[in-house]
Amino acid sequence: MVLFDRTEDFIACDMVKADDIGGAYNATKTLIESGCKRIALINFKPYINIGKERRMGYCMALDEYGIKENNSLIFEVDEEKDLFKQIEKVFNLNPLPDAIFAVKEDFAAIAIKLALKKGLKIPEDISLISFVNGLISEYSSPSITAVIQHGYNMGKMAAELLIDRIENKTSKKPYETKVIATRLKHRDSTKKVN
């Protein structure tokens, strides 16, 4: 068995995952360097590993720039419930955040829809970055700056690890965890970095 993308440390097997900490750190750092200071995080519930790691990267960037972590700006959403209602809470804050880092593409798309409904201009009033670069990010209006996970490379590496494990089943080779670097794809939802 090989786990990829959503991995769990308590399962003994080979794993392939994106650099969730580094990707979140770079996304948050980009928002800060573009002038944002009140950055909301729309995250998974804490039982999902990638949510923990993406929050860690977000917090690392805030800390590096001397911005105190503010729990009122961190929203943990339950994917089984109405996402619009949960994400709308971001826009009930006073003062509003000047940026949002969403750990999932559909969270970001909903946030954009709600921001526009409130009459906010993107990125002038509020900037937004999504973790995951798919069709939603590319074709939203405005298009969403996104962390690219390189899903094809993750899948290819996972298949290679699995095939190697099957072909060498007598081998006592230790399990491996491969971490794939991410990169940021800049689009219309963020201001230029100063």
Side-chain angles (χ1 to χ4, degrees), residues 138-153:
E138 187 174 352
Y139 294 113
S140 284
S141 183
S143 59
I144 303 170
T145 298
V147 177
I148 298 175
Q149 295 180 267
H150 305 291
Y152 176 85
N153 293 346

Side-chain angles (χ1 to χ4, degrees), residues 88-123:
E88 191 170 33
K89 292 176 184 173
V90 174
F91 299 95
N92 294 333
L93 291 173
N94 188 9
L96 282 171
D98 54 12
I100 296 171
F101 172 49
V103 301
K104 194 171 176 221
E105 188 177 42
D106 55 339
F107 298 173
I110 291 168
I112 280 192
K113 191 169 188 172
L114 290 165
L116 294 173
K117 188 177 172 186
K118 292 261 186 195
L120 299 171
K121 292 181 184 157
I122 300 167

Side-chain angles (χ1 to χ4, degrees), residues 45-172:
K45 288 287 187 186
Y47 57 82
I48 297 177
N49 238 13
I50 59 175
K52 290 177 196 169
E53 292 186 354
R54 291 175 188 177
R55 180 177 177 159
M56 197 180 307
Y58 161 85
C59 291
M60 283 171 51
L62 293 179
D63 186 56
E64 182 176 310
Y65 283 84
I67 299 171
K68 192 173 188 288
E69 185 182 334
N70 181 344
N71 285 329
S72 71
L73 291 171
I74 297 173
F75 297 83
E76 293 173 341
V77 299
D78 183 344
E79 293 184 274
E80 303 297 316
K81 296 183 178 163
D82 185 339
L83 287 174
F84 275 89
K85 277 189 177 171
Q86 294 176 82
I87 293 171
E88 191 170 33
K89 292 176 184 173
V90 174
F91 299 95
N92 294 333
L93 291 173
N94 188 9
L96 282 171
D98 54 12
I100 296 171
F101 172 49
V103 301
K104 194 171 176 221
E105 188 177 42
D106 55 339
F107 298 173
I110 291 168
I112 280 192
K113 191 169 188 172
L114 290 165
L116 294 173
K117 188 177 172 186
K118 292 261 186 195
L120 299 171
K121 292 181 184 157
I122 300 167
E124 296 83 2
D125 297 326
I126 192 164
S127 292
L128 197 132
I129 294 180
S130 164
F131 204 111
V132 178
N133 178 53
L135 293 176
I136 293 172
S137 294
E138 187 174 352
Y139 294 113
S140 284
S141 183
S143 59
I144 303 170
T145 298
V147 177
I148 298 175
Q149 295 180 267
H150 305 291
Y152 176 85
N153 293 346
M154 268 199 286
K156 183 174 184 269
M157 189 170 289
E160 288 169 356
L161 283 169
L162 184 61
I163 290 166
D164 182 57
R165 187 69 59 187
I166 291 167
E167 288 178 348
N168 299 302
K169 58 184 165 198
T170 56
S171 169
K172 296 291 182 197

